[in-house]
């Protein structure tokens, strides 16, 4: 299994996460596990400084995050996104669905 | 339905029987090896007695050596002859082994208290708790008889001999030697052997027997579970092969679709990462002047992605045939796919409608890889089109439609990210640059050669790295109206 780590901190309806490694189909369940742990989260902040690669299944996880925030009129913020991941977000139109910092 | 269930049970039972039979053959061989070791052991003991190294008061074994060896080696020969594949062999092997071990117990009495455990330990290897239970009971009965007979017939245990007060022993060497000329109560000796030797032996034997019974039971259940899992796995493989065939059946039939259409030439390559994949391409005549092209990639992999792929393909196909514009097709397809209740699945899609008379493509890109285009005399370039959000993500999304004009002789390549994201062992990606380099090296080749070259370059680049994603490419050459 590809190495992917996720750290999460929850406060004031905001789920602050750090995504590290390579997010693929075989490890994407870790994201869904975190989402299940914090069903009341409205806003999501993802620090992607060490996120090396996102496969389509990883974008599926990001879509689930976007849907979870939109249901409650929240927002998703991505921080420190690498060039490779930025290109992927632009290509797939995700850059217009999340706030990139 | 009932018949199918019955067939499945039959199949599982057959698999289970096969596994047990294979295990029985191996276990027979293990017992056989044990018996050969026992023969060697008996020979060594007899030799030790013969040369005086070991000197029991009574040692009946040496007198009947030939019979012991026949009893042991007979079943060994039969096992070799039948290759362990007769159901009665295990009874013959273990039973004859018990007899010989009991004979040893008879001769050696107190010197080898755990001989009784050997057949039981070996029987657990058969993973049949009924057989092990049978051996436990049989061993106790036979060893009881051998123990009781061995009291007077075997090596005398001086600790069990009761002598009246004042008895004088004339000892010269082992104490046992001094008892040879003394009268003692053999009935009491047998009673003492039962109380002080056989029952303690049984107490030692009991936990070993229980453990062996447990091993046999656990092994039995594991084999049953393994057989069931194997059956499920075979069933799954068969169903996957069927699903793969169904997926292949929806690949457009070029000859059929393009019959009478001389304006274009089409060629494609699909290399799924698993048995079934989430990539798909499609092309079909919308009317006599327009042909639609679709290239798409469902998020995720395997069976879920392939099911979503079938749904997305038919949705887009049906909408396109209803005469909608590309923008309308994609927006309606998006709404329909969003209504499926799946939270994390989407499909990146490029949809284009080519006017065969003018060479104009009206297209919509829903988060998909940008096409590569080459005009006559030009080189392969990435089409910098405007990409919208993926299809099936959010229902309120709208898409922008754009146009490109293909000159006669132009090529357009549609592909999925399995091409550009092919990785080498150190996780470098082939990339769009790799794809363009590959195409530019063979710019004037026919479509089949181009696809073959790109795929070969991908394989060379990946080296030993495994293929993680489906690889799909669709090449279209526009020849123009006559």
């Amino acid at each position: 299994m590809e190495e992917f780590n996720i750290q999460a901190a929850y406060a004031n309806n905001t789920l602050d996460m750090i995504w590290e490694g390579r997010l693929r189909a075989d490890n994407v369940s870790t994201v869904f596990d975190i989402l299940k742990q914090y069903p009341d989260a409205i806003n999501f902040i993802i620090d992607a400084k060490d996120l090396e690669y996102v496969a389509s299944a990883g974008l599926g996880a990001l879509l689930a995050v976007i849907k979870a925030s939109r249901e409650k009129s929240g927002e998703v913020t991505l921080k420190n996104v690498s060039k490779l991941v930025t290109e992927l977000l632009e290509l797939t139109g995700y850059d217009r669905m999340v706030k990139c910092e | 339905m009932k018949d199918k269930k019955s067939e499945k049970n039959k199949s599982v039972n057959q698999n289970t029987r096969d596994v047990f039979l294979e295990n029985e053959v191996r276990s027979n061989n293990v017992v056989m090896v044990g018996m050969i070791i026992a023969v060697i052991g008996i020979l060594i003991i007899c030799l030790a007695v013969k040369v005086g190294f070991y000197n029991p008061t009574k040692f009946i074994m040496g007198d009947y050596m030939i019979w012991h060896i026949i009893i042991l080696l007979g079943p060994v020969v039969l096992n070799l002859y039948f290759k362990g594949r007769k159901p009665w062999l295990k009874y013959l092997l273990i039973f004859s082994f018990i007899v010989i071990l009991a004979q040893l117990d008879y001769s050696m009495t107190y010197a080898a208290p755990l001989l009784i455990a050997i057949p039981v330990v070996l029987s657990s290897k058969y993973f049949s708790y009924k057989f092990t239970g049978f051996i436990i009971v049989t061993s106790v009965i036979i060893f009881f008889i051998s123990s009781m007979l061995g009291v007077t017939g075997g090596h005398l245990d001086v600790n069990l001999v009761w002598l009246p007060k004042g008895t004088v022993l004339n000892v010269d060497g082992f104490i046992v030697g001094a008892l040879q000329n003394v009268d003692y109560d053999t009935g009491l000796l047998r009673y003492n052997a039962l109380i002080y030797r056989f029952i303690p032996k049984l107490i030692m034997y009991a936990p070993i027997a229980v453990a062996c019974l447990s091993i046999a039971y656990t092994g039995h259940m594991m084999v049953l579970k393994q057989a069931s899992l194997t059956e499920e796995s075979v069933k799954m493989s068969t169903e996957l092969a069927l699903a793969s065939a169904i997926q292949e059946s929806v690949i457009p039939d070029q000859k059929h679709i393009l019959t009478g259409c001389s304006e274009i030439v089409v060629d494609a390559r699909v290399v799924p990462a698993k048995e079934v994949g989430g990539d798909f391409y499609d092309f079909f005549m919308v009317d006599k002047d327009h042909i639609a092209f679709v290239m798409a990639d469902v998020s995720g992999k395997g069976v879920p992605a392939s099911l979503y792929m079938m749904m997305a393909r038919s949705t887009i196909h049906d909408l396109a045939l209803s005469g909608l514009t590309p923008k309308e097709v994609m927006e309606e397809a998006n709404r329909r796919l969003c209504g499926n209740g799946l939270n994390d699945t989407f499909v990146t899609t490029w949809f284009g409608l080519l006017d065969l008379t003018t060479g104009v493509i009206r297209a919509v890109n829903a988060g998909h890889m940008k096409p590569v285009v080459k005009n006559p005399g030009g080189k392969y370039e990435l089409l910098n089109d405007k990409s919208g959000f993926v299809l099936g993500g959010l229902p309120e999304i709208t898409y922008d439609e754009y146009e490109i004009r293909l000159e006669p002789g132009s090529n357009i390549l549609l592909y999925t990210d399995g091409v550009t994201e092919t990785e080498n062992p150190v996780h470098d990606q082939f990339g769009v640059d790799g794809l363009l380099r590959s195409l530019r090296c063979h710019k004037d080749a026919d479509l089949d050669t181009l696809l073959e070259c790109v795929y070969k370059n991908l394989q060379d680049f990946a080296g030993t790295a495994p293929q993680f994603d489906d690889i799909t490419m669709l090449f279209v050459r526009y020849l123009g109206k006559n």
Side-chain angles (χ1 to χ4, degrees):
Chain A
M1 197 169 86
E2 288 286 345
E3 188 66 26
F4 175 74
N5 292 313
I6 185 164
Q7 295 172 45
Y10 181 69
N12 302 325
N13 294 326
T14 299
L15 183 58
D16 212 329
M17 294 180 279
I18 299 173
W19 289 9
E20 297 172 327
R22 301 170 64 79
L23 183 55
R24 305 181 92 131
D26 53 1
N27 54 34
V28 76
S29 60
T30 49
V31 176
F32 292 103
D33 290 343
I34 292 285
L35 290 182
K36 278 182 201 157
Q37 276 182 42
Y38 303 101
D40 298 329
I42 295 173
N43 299 308
F44 298 82
I45 300 171
I46 300 165
D47 187 337
K49 187 162 86 64
D50 294 315
L51 185 63
E52 296 167 27
Y53 172 74
V54 181
S56 65
L59 286 177
L62 187 56
L63 177 61
V65 174
I66 292 168
K67 283 183 176 176
S69 72
R70 286 200 164 205
E71 277 172 11
K72 297 163 195 160
S73 303
E75 67 175 10
V76 179
T77 306
L78 259 67
K79 297 194 299 189
N80 307 315
V81 188
S82 68
K83 186 169 170 280
L84 189 71
V85 177
T86 302
E87 284 173 4
L88 179 69
L89 295 177
E90 287 171 358
L91 181 74
T92 50
Y94 271 76
D95 59 326
R96 277 153 272 163
M97 303 299 144
V98 298
K99 196 171 141 191
C100 287
E101 289 181 353
Chain B
M1 191 74 179
K2 214 170 185 178
D3 285 348
K4 273 187 183 174
K5 200 173 176 183
S6 162
E7 277 298 311
K8 188 188 163 190
N9 286 340
K10 267 186 196 170
S11 178
V12 169
N13 290 341
Q14 186 56 47
N15 283 340
T16 313
R17 273 199 295 274
D18 290 347
V19 174
F20 278 121
L21 180 63
E22 193 183 332
N23 180 60
E24 191 170 309
V25 170
R26 286 183 186 172
S27 304
N28 284 342
N29 290 337
V30 169
V31 176
M32 184 183 74
V33 170
M35 293 173 81
I36 292 168
I37 292 169
V39 168
I40 296 167
I42 290 169
L43 284 172
I44 291 170
I45 292 169
C46 289
L47 191 66
V49 172
K50 195 86 178 165
V51 298
F53 178 75
Y54 179 52
N55 190 22
T57 43
K58 292 174 182 173
F59 190 70
I60 196 168
M61 179 156 275
D63 302 339
Y64 302 103
M65 170 72 80
I66 186 72
W67 293 110
H68 295 137
I69 298 210
I70 288 170
I71 291 172
L72 278 172
L73 290 186
V76 168
V77 171
L78 285 172
N79 185 57
L80 288 171
Y81 180 76
F82 290 111
K83 295 180 179 165
R85 291 191 172 274
K86 292 287 176 190
W88 45 265
L89 270 173
K90 66 178 175 185
Y91 292 98
L92 181 68
L93 284 162
I94 292 267
F95 192 76
S96 54
F97 205 4
I98 291 174
V99 168
I100 292 306
L101 291 171
Q103 174 64 65
L104 266 176
D105 183 65
Y106 168 87
S107 292
M108 299 175 77
T109 60
Y110 65 89
L114 283 177
L115 286 174
I116 189 173
I118 293 174
V120 180
V121 170
L122 288 172
S123 74
S124 67
K125 173 76 177 69
Y126 287 90
F127 297 153
S128 164
Y129 50 92
K130 287 178 184 169
F131 181 62
T132 300
F134 169 74
I135 296 303
I136 288 170
V137 174
T138 309
S139 295
V140 169
I141 294 168
I142 294 178
F143 274 80
F144 173 76
I145 296 167
S146 71
S147 280
M148 290 303 100
L149 294 176
V151 168
T152 51
H155 193 31
L156 180 64
D157 185 352
V158 293
N159 294 308
L160 302 177
V161 177
W162 190 89
L163 296 171
K165 191 176 177 182
T167 306
V168 178
L169 291 178
N170 185 11
V171 179
D172 180 17
F174 285 116
I175 296 171
V176 70
L179 290 169
Q180 280 177 349
N181 300 319
V182 176
D183 285 332
Y184 48 83
D185 186 346
T186 52
L188 188 58
L189 182 62
R190 196 160 279 125
Y191 173 78
N192 287 342
L194 177 68
I195 300 298
Y196 299 112
R197 202 167 67 204
F198 189 70
I199 290 177
K201 190 190 283 186
L202 281 189
I203 292 170
M204 281 192 283
Y205 175 65
I208 296 172
V210 170
C212 290
L213 207 55
S214 167
I215 290 167
Y217 179 76
T218 310
H220 187 84
M221 299 317 280
M222 280 177 71
V223 169
L224 290 181
K225 192 174 177 185
Q226 187 63 40
S228 170
L229 287 173
T230 306
E231 176 65 19
E232 281 300 313
S233 172
V234 169
K235 192 171 158 235
M236 193 67 82
S237 300
T238 311
E239 287 180 2
L240 271 177
L242 191 60
S244 179
I246 291 170
Q247 259 204 327
E248 277 180 32
S249 73
V250 300
I251 291 176
D253 179 358
Q254 202 178 133
K255 282 180 189 162
H256 178 69
I257 295 166
L258 299 180
T259 300
C261 175
S262 57
E263 291 89 348
I264 58 167
V265 179
V266 176
D267 208 343
R269 281 285 183 288
V270 182
V271 187
K274 294 187 172 183
E275 287 86 347
V276 289
D279 281 9
F280 73 93
Y281 71 88
D282 197 7
F283 58 91
F284 47 93
M285 298 299 295
V286 173
D287 56 47
K288 68 178 178 55
D289 292 325
H290 293 89
I291 184 165
F293 292 99
V294 185
M295 175 59 70
D297 181 2
V298 177
S299 61
K301 285 198 279 283
V303 174
S306 72
L307 291 173
Y308 194 95
M309 166 256 168
M310 296 292 274
M311 182 168 62
R313 182 191 171 277
S314 64
T315 302
I316 296 167
H317 194 104
D318 293 348
L319 287 170
L321 287 176
S322 67
L324 299 174
T325 65
K327 176 182 164 65
E328 290 167 341
V329 167
M330 294 294 269
E331 288 177 353
E332 182 54 27
N334 180 54
R335 277 191 289 276
R336 290 188 187 184
L337 291 172
C338 284
N340 60 26
L342 294 171
N343 206 26
D344 60 334
T345 309
F346 60 82
V347 52
T348 68
T349 310
W350 187 92
F351 177 84
L353 196 60
L354 170 66
D355 186 327
L356 293 168
T357 54
T358 62
V360 172
I361 297 180
R362 292 163 66 196
V364 170
N365 188 344
H368 195 75
M369 302 301 296
K370 297 174 185 301
V372 174
V373 180
K374 185 181 94 66
N375 283 314
K379 61 179 183 178
Y380 283 98
E381 301 283 2
L382 200 64
L383 181 71
N384 200 18
D385 64 356
K386 190 179 178 188
S387 179
F389 195 52
V390 295
L391 214 59
L394 298 166
E396 65 272 23
I397 295 296
T398 57
Y399 293 100
D400 292 329
E401 190 176 300
Y402 65 90
E403 277 189 11
I404 50 169
R405 180 181 291 276
L406 298 179
E407 299 300 327
S410 299
N411 288 350
I412 179 166
L413 174 69
L414 307 169
Y415 56 95
T416 56
D417 61 2
V419 175
T420 50
E421 292 182 6
T422 289
E423 291 187 344
N424 64 13
V426 292
H427 294 312
D428 293 328
Q429 294 190 347
F430 190 64
V432 173
D433 291 342
L435 176 62
L436 291 174
R437 264 198 306 277
S438 185
L439 290 167
R440 285 169 185 166
C441 287
H442 311 90
K443 60 178 182 175
D444 294 323
D446 59 59
L447 300 187
D448 183 58
T449 309
L450 277 165
L451 288 171
E452 198 53 45
C453 288
V454 172
Y455 185 59
K456 171 87 174 45
N457 289 347
L458 278 174
Q459 283 183 308
D460 292 344
F461 178 81
T464 56
Q467 183 190 338
F468 273 108
D469 206 354
D470 307 329
I471 292 171
T472 305
M473 295 180 276
L474 174 66
F475 237 130
V476 182
R477 176 168 290 171
Y478 177 64
L479 302 171
K481 194 79 178 171
N482 299 320

